[in-house]
């Protein structure tokens, strides 16, 4: 089955009791048993819920994986993955990553004796120098947030396989429409479903997709034992959102390309970060592992003045100033003071996350209106 068909049909079947074509919202905490243990696969909704099961199967199909697991947030999903590890284990993570991921790694799991190395993943060969007998997991995000670096998934997958280390990819920015890490050697795909998968800025949710049966079983154990599961209403909303994922992504990519080109030619803009540019340092890898380049763009201003960046953000009307991304409506953000404020300034600046950096999540509005909005706001500085 092709992607657009899977988005609409995978995991979803008419409800056997009524014929309802849409998956019902099974708003129930528990299920009646005929006699102890005699049930239809559902005992308690933390463990299983039919609305969640439909979504989990749908997500697994979109990522070409066997097993999907949903969590009450993207961070809930990351929490479950790190709980596969033991004190003393080591993780190699990209140094250019979502601020909340950095926070849970350093502020929560380092306290439990797990060691994290934050490294540049531009070249898979350099990762090998950090691998030792305690390394259990490689953590990558691509495109990275907010610098839009591209990490070679197949290259890192090969290193991980050689050293028998698990390899997890946070695929939130690309979505399964643009890239499928499991096909390129990743063992675990993680999503903040909150973003493009939900797509309408009305749900917070996370997901994990894997192929390995044993790994799926361990994660399902953690999902149930630790309890960060989403409710059925949220699962329904995401199932509904995913039905248009392929259409939305096409427009996000088209608008992304238009806005990236507009910014690149603007006299007040210093640098534009978008993997679709031929002079992007890893453009060739982006071209080989992604189907298109997405709608996430970051840019800096000439003079690198934080005050100018804030003025632009205050004057944007369509690009609402808000955390998050991936919804149908365009959003703007100031990573240094918002999403990435928990990363120390020296760490931030090492990867180019300077004070004037503005991040855009280009929505699916008319591109002419989005350009006009940016033109007006940039004129104010
Ligand atoms: C938002 C985000 C997360 C965290 O997900 P939540 O749903 O907010 O908990 C993780 N990784 C990336 C890349 C994100 O953008």
């Amino acid at each position: 089955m092709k992607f657009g068909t899977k988005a609409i049909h995978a995991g979803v079947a008419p409800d056997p009791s009524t014929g309802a074509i849409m998956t019902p919202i099974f708003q129930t905490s528990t299920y009646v048993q005929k006699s102890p243990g005699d049930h239809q696969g559902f005992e308690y909704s933390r463990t299983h819920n039919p609305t969640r099961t439909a979504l989990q199967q749908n997500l697994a199909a979109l990522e070409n994986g066997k097993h999907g697991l949903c969590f009450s947030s993207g961070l809930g999903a990351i929490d479950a993955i790190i709980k596969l590890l033991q004190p003393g284990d080591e993780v190699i993570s990209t140094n250019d990553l979502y601020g909340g991921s950095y926070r849970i790694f350093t502020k929560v799991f380092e306290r439990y004796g797990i060691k994290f190395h934050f490294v540049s993943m531009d070249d898979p060969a350099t990762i090998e120098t950090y691998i030792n007998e305690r390394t259990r997991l490689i953590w990558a995000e691509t495109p990275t947030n907010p610098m839009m670096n591209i990490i070679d998934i197949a290259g890192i997958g090969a290193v991980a396989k050689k050293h028998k280390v698990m390899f997890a990819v946070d695929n939130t920015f690309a979505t399964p429409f643009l890239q499928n890490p499991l096909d390129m050697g990743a063992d675990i795909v993680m999503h903040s479903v909150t973003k493009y998968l939900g797509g309408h800025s009305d749900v917070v949710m996370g997901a994990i997709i894997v192929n390995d049966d044993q790994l799926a079983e361990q994660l399902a154990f953690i999902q149930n034992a630790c309890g960060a599961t989403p409710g059925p209403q949220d699962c329904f909303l995401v199932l509904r959102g995913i039905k248009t994922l392929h259409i939305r992504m096409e427009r996000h990519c088209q608008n992304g390309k238009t806005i990236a080109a507009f910014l690149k030619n603007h006299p007040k803009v210093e640098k534009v970060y978008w993997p679709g540019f031929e002079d992007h340092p890893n453009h060739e890898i982006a071209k080989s592992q992604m189907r298109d380049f997405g709608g996430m763009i970051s840019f800096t201003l000439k003079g690198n003045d934080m005050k100018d960046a804030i003025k632009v953000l205050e004057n944007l009307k369509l690009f609402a100033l808000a955390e998050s991304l991936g919804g149908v409506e365009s959003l703007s953000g100031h990573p240094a003071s918002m999403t990435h404020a928990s990363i120390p300034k020296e760490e931030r600046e090492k990867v180019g996350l300077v004070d004037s950096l503005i991040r855009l999540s280009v929505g699916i509005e008319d591109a002419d209106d989005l350009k006009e909005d940016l033109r007006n706001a940039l004129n104010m500085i």
Side-chain angles (χ1 to χ4, degrees):
M1 234 190 261
K2 296 261 170 64
F3 192 90
T5 315
K6 286 198 284 193
I8 292 166
H9 293 285
V12 177
D15 174 48
S17 65
T18 60
I21 191 162
M22 283 305 132
T23 309
I25 302 164
F26 284 92
Q27 195 74 53
T28 187
S29 61
T30 191
Y31 308 83
V32 176
Q33 311 192 9
K34 283 206 183 73
S35 81
D38 182 4
H39 54 75
Q40 300 170 46
F42 296 96
E43 293 165 89
Y44 187 62
S45 280
R46 173 165 22 76
T47 326
H48 294 294
N49 175 283
T51 318
R52 193 175 96 211
T53 301
L55 174 59
Q56 293 184 154
Q57 289 175 355
N58 181 272
L59 288 168
L62 294 184
E63 282 290 7
N64 299 332
K66 251 172 96 180
H67 307 278
L69 299 109
C70 288
F71 293 83
S72 50
S73 69
L75 277 165
I78 296 173
D79 179 71
I81 294 167
I82 306 302
K83 283 175 178 162
L84 293 165
L85 311 184
Q86 309 278 345
D89 286 349
E90 296 190 7
V91 179
I92 301 170
S93 164
T94 168
N95 61 357
D96 176 14
L97 81 165
Y98 178 68
S101 306
Y102 181 83
R103 184 177 55 199
I104 192 174
F105 291 168
T106 57
K107 295 270 169 31
V108 179
F109 284 110
E110 274 183 359
R111 288 199 287 117
Y112 291 83
I114 294 168
K115 191 169 172 191
F116 294 85
H117 302 271
F118 295 95
V119 308
S120 157
M121 294 198 175
D122 290 345
D123 177 10
T126 60
I127 293 173
E128 272 192 295
T129 63
Y130 293 90
I131 295 181
N132 61 43
E133 71 284 355
R134 298 184 151 207
T135 310
R136 285 284 312 281
L137 177 71
I138 297 174
W139 184 270
E141 222 181 282
T142 179
T144 64
N145 177 17
M147 301 313 298
M148 311 302 152
N149 284 324
I150 298 293
I151 289 172
D152 178 356
I153 298 175
I156 294 181
V159 171
K161 195 167 214 147
K162 180 171 154 203
H163 295 275
K164 298 196 168 56
V165 172
M166 273 191 301
F167 176 30
V169 176
D170 179 340
N171 204 27
T172 301
F173 269 39
T175 82
F177 179 76
L178 295 181
Q179 96 195 346
N180 299 115
L182 295 179
D183 293 345
M184 294 182 268
D187 302 296
I188 300 176
V189 169
M190 173 261 149
H191 279 283
S192 169
V193 173
T194 314
K195 317 294 168 55
Y196 287 103
L197 291 168
H200 296 74
S201 308
D202 51 9
V203 175
V204 171
M205 196 190 290
I208 299 173
I209 300 100
V210 299
N211 267 320
D212 186 80
D213 296 342
Q214 215 184 332
L215 188 53
E217 209 175 295
Q218 287 171 344
L219 287 164
F221 174 82
I222 294 167
Q223 184 191 38
N224 182 50
C226 298
T229 50
Q233 172 86 36
D234 284 354
C235 293
F236 173 85
L237 286 170
V238 172
L239 275 166
R240 179 178 170 142
I242 285 177
K243 289 179 199 298
T244 55
L245 177 63
H246 49 306
I247 307 291
R248 287 187 280 113
M249 287 310 294
E250 275 171 14
R251 181 63 83 89
H252 282 297
C253 291
Q254 207 180 313
N255 281 357
K257 187 176 182 180
T258 306
I259 298 302
F262 167 81
L263 289 170
K264 199 169 195 175
N265 289 321
H266 197 284
K268 288 182 180 162
V269 171
E270 173 80 35
K271 197 160 179 349
V272 184
Y273 298 88
W274 182 66
F277 289 134
E278 276 175 24
D279 60 1
H280 181 285
N282 272 337
H283 177 67
E284 287 309 314
I285 293 166
K287 245 174 43 185
S288 70
Q289 72 187 17
M290 299 173 76
R291 296 180 187 95
D292 204 337
F293 304 109
M296 293 303 300
I297 300 170
S298 293
F299 66 99
T300 58
L301 300 171
K302 289 208 173 124
N304 190 32
D305 189 338
M306 160 118 61
K307 283 198 215 82
D308 284 342
I310 288 170
K311 207 163 189 186
V312 169
L313 289 162
E314 285 171 350
N315 284 294
L316 285 167
K317 302 232 154 42
L318 284 174
F319 284 90
L321 176 60
E323 308 254 2
S324 202
L325 60 110
V328 291
E329 61 288 307
S330 293
L331 296 181
S332 58
H334 185 242
S337 66
M338 295 168 71
T339 45
H340 291 65
S342 53
I343 301 182
K345 191 175 162 86
E346 318 85 71
E347 285 292 318
R348 278 199 272 118
E349 295 199 336
K350 267 190 223 163
V351 299
L353 203 166
V354 297
D355 285 348
S356 76
L357 189 88
I358 291 174
R359 190 191 76 178
L360 300 178
S361 170
V362 181
I364 65 171
E365 300 96 334
D366 194 294
D368 287 341
D369 292 326
L370 297 179
K371 276 195 285 191
E372 188 58 24
D373 195 32
L374 284 163
R375 194 179 293 120
N376 288 340
L378 286 163
N379 272 342
M380 308 297 270
I381 58 170

